[in-house]
Amino acid sequence: MSSKLVPSICPYCAVGCGMYLKVEKGRAIGLEYMTDHPTCQGALCPKGNAVLEVLNHEERLKYPLKKAGGEFMRISWDEALDMAAGGLLRNIKKHGPKSVGFLASSRCNNEENYLMQKLSRLLGSPHVDNCARLCHSPTVVGLGAVLGTGAMTNNLIDLENSRCILAIGTNFTEAHPIVSRWAQKAKDSGATVIVADPRITSTSWMADLHLRIKPGSDIDLLRAMMKVIIDEGLADRKFIEERTEGYAELAAGLRDYSLEEAAQLTGVPAGEIVRAARIYARSPASALLYSMGITQHVCGTDNVKACATLALVAGQIGKPGAGVWPMRGQNNVQGNCDMGGMAEFYPGYKRASDPASIEFFKAAWKADDLPLGPGLTSTEMTEAALQGRLKAMYLIGEDPVTCDANINKTKAALDKLDFLIVQEIFMTPTAMMADLVLPAAAWAEKDGSYTSMERRVQWIDLAVPPVGEAREGLWIINEIGKRLGLDLGGSSAAEVLKEINRLVPQYGGITRERLDLHGLVWPCPDSNHPGTPILHVGGFKLDGGRAAIVPVQYRPPAEPISSGYPFILTTGRVAVHHNAGSMTRRSPSLQKREPDLFLEINLKDAQEVDVADGDEVTVASSRGETVAVARLTDGMKRGVVFMPFHFPRTNLLTSEFTDDEAWIPEFKVSACKITKRD
């Protein structure tokens, strides 16, 4: 039998790179590059090149499992589905529908996530959320408040048209390596690259100007840049007057703010702040790129608002090469949020707190009643479980025991639940705590659509059958729904997409028939619409069509350093691993390159704590301690240490203090101490 090539999408980050899977006798045996893909043009990062090591891994979950006497035993699908429905129904009857929480998966397709949030709400629970809570919930909330749309404003290839790239809180060469392809093309064409990051990274290597800010001081850097732009007459007054509101309040609030104060707070010399502001404002097209270095703070939403406001003041939005570019993490985190997999929103970002949203979906879903929100966020679900208010959870493709801040607290919360269902492709640390584990099909083993960080919706067909008795998530959710007396509708992904087309305006014209290899970029309201590569060209999705300039103030990190914990711990990504590492740490070629947890520490700091390169060290915070291998570098600022978050032990240490608006934990600033192990 000859092999065939099946189009597919990388299952890792949200860049959405295309590839072909080479399939023979029902098994993926190789990859070929998709050279005409509009985002990657055939390129793949190390993770993308190694995807088959995960897809074909021997540790894939193949059968439903239930826990009995502390051990897992294989059961039939009928028993598993009955057990899932029974456990949810038991708690709903005893404690009410709000005793049950759901986590949708940003690794799953749009159709699965749409049905997951529909299941939650038809059961009467407003408590549905996803991993955006831990990475980019401030993007949804912050950009939504300022611009009216909580998403990337431009498509990725448009970065090539930028003449200034300001990257703040993002190490995109490692976190999103394909993005660096377009940044380098812009640089080769004369663009100036400015990087604001406390670390020296491979992203800062390409910078013309590296602003080594103190962790948590992003707002003061952005406010100082705005002050320079306003004071030097570089603000785009025509754009401001015609398309924004709130400028006068911003200017008044910055009048007494000094560059000397900003320099002290940020650690960046005033002259460098002035230079960065002038370059950004004078450029004909400036792109502002950010990631979790901006969002994962107690002021994460305000950080995002400050990024968007800077773009508005300089008129750097709504045109090619300019805009605000949040670098999203999971392959379908954008789509999951679009589908209503968030506590604050029903599908299409209809506010869960708005009675009109409830009436709309009651009519659409033929439901007698639906819960008014917002529901509990994932971080709030942890608290509710600890307090005994949340009794059962159904998690799909999420690993909070690895990903949450202060994971000992998360473990205690999950342990207190009456019933926990985990639907996964591997036995993760979270799955190990479950009462019921449901084996799911991986991305290449099912049909469905995915939405990348640039709002590009792409469809992939099943390339290979699921392993063992693993089943598509859509089938699993539907079957659980049936046992709970619900008809969720849509026995196939194509059928569910038709419902999405009807109910989510941004996806109105994104039909299965129109989704070719290049996809469509939302908003795409009807079948004749070509999609929208650049947002806000003619106006903003706020009342009056004007963007809202929002003044924000510096808020210090929740956990200051002390004599007992004298270092700031910050976390981030490395190129060969992804998020919780449940997939990449099972990939031999990737694991070989980064096998274990390490700690980057400044050379002089290491000398003071008597640590040499390669030593094992104990890293401790007020929440716990872990062991890592020390890497000495002059790339770290004094007093700051770095650990990657792809290993289960990192989040034993991180701070669970949250942002007041988006409820994201402050992963990026935790106080810690370092000691050499004997």
Side-chain angles (χ1 to χ4, degrees), residues 212-469:
R212 297 193 68 183
I213 64 173
K214 295 177 183 176
S217 66
D218 308 277
I219 283 176
D220 277 296
L221 174 63
L222 294 163
R223 291 182 74 226
M225 290 178 67
M226 291 180 220
K227 180 175 177 61
V228 172
I229 291 168
I230 292 169
D231 288 354
E232 296 192 359
L234 298 174
D236 189 334
R237 296 306 298 266
K238 184 174 185 293
F239 181 93
I240 290 166
E241 289 168 9
E242 292 179 355
R243 302 191 58 190
T244 74
E245 56 185 26
Y247 175 77
E249 292 85 348
L250 175 74
L254 292 173
R255 195 167 295 133
D256 297 327
Y257 183 57
S258 71
L259 290 183
E260 291 72 25
E261 180 185 355
Q264 183 178 8
L265 288 165
T266 63
V268 178
E272 291 187 6
I273 297 174
V274 171
R275 184 183 168 202
R278 289 172 177 168
I279 293 169
Y280 178 82
R282 289 171 175 168
S283 161
S286 292
L288 191 156
L289 280 58
Y290 73 83
S291 192
M292 295 188 296
I294 283 290
T295 59
Q296 288 181 332
H297 293 274
V298 291
C299 55
T301 303
D302 281 348
N303 282 347
V304 171
K305 290 176 180 177
C307 288
T309 296
L310 174 65
L312 292 173
V313 168
Q316 297 287 6
I317 203 161
K319 59 185 180 181
V324 182
W325 311 54
M327 300 282 142
R328 308 298 288 266
Q330 287 277 22
N331 60 323
N332 200 36
V333 66
Q334 180 67 59
N336 198 346
C337 297
D338 298 344
M339 294 302 107
M342 295 191 77
E344 304 96 325
F345 300 104
Y346 274 72
Y349 299 100
K350 292 185 183 296
R351 291 200 172 275
S353 57
D354 185 352
S357 302
I358 306 304
E359 293 306 313
F360 177 88
F361 283 101
K362 278 170 62 177
W365 294 341
K366 297 179 173 58
D368 293 333
D369 197 16
L370 290 172
L372 194 67
L376 297 177
T377 65
S378 65
T379 46
E380 291 173 307
M381 287 186 210
T382 299
E383 293 289 346
L386 282 170
Q387 295 166 10
R389 293 185 290 118
L390 198 72
K391 298 293 186 179
M393 290 188 74
Y394 179 9
L395 280 63
I396 296 182
E398 296 291 331
D399 188 13
V401 170
T402 301
C403 294
D404 279 9
N406 189 6
I407 57 177
N408 280 332
K409 183 177 180 180
T410 299
K411 289 178 181 178
L414 295 181
D415 195 50
K416 198 168 180 181
L417 291 173
D418 171 73
F419 188 59
L420 174 62
I421 309 167
V422 174
Q423 191 168 304
E424 257 293 357
I425 65 172
F426 289 113
M427 184 61 80
T428 63
T430 301
M432 289 294 294
M433 296 192 69
D435 299 288
L436 176 65
V437 177
L438 304 176
W443 88 101
E445 300 166 345
K446 58 190 175 185
D447 303 329
S449 66
Y450 298 80
T451 308
S452 72
M453 67 166 75
E454 60 175 354
R455 298 171 283 109
R456 186 179 301 278
V457 184
Q458 302 176 87
W459 180 277
I460 56 174
D461 290 314
L462 179 147
V464 294
V467 298
E469 293 181 8

Side-chain angles (χ1 to χ4, degrees), residues 88-110:
L88 296 174
L89 190 59
R90 178 177 70 246
N91 282 283
I92 289 171
K93 285 183 174 179
K94 189 173 182 181
H95 305 287
K98 291 183 180 180
S99 69
V100 180
F102 297 78
L103 289 186
S105 174
S106 295
R107 287 192 284 147
C108 290
N109 58 44
N110 288 321

Side-chain angles (χ1 to χ4, degrees), residues 10-55:
C10 180
Y12 284 112
C13 83
V15 172
C17 297
M19 64 180 75
Y20 292 100
L21 298 182
K22 189 176 182 181
V23 176
E24 187 175 291
K25 296 180 180 179
R27 183 178 172 84
I29 61 170
L31 294 178
E32 287 201 12
Y33 298 124
M34 192 179 286
T35 57
D36 61 343
H37 190 272
T39 300
C40 67
Q41 294 188 346
L44 293 175
C45 78
K47 297 184 289 292
N49 276 297
V51 290
L52 296 189
E53 295 178 357
V54 174
L55 185 64

Side-chain angles (χ1 to χ4, degrees), residues 12 47 174-175 573-579 581 583-587 590-596 646-647:
Y12 284 112
K47 297 184 289 292
E174 293 207 58
R573 296 182 173 107
V574 296
V576 297
H577 283 303
H578 183 67
N579 285 18
M583 295 195 295
T584 53
R585 284 186 287 104
R586 287 180 167 89
S587 184
L590 301 176
Q591 185 69 0
K592 182 178 180 181
R593 291 171 63 178
E594 285 291 1
D596 207 352
H646 314 294
F647 299 88

Side-chain angles (χ1 to χ4, degrees), residues 625-645:
E625 64 179 44
T626 190
V627 177
V629 175
R631 292 185 182 177
L632 276 56
T633 173
D634 60 3
M636 295 302 301
K637 288 177 71 75
R638 292 293 307 272
V640 182
V641 295
F642 168 86
M643 291 169 64
F645 54 61

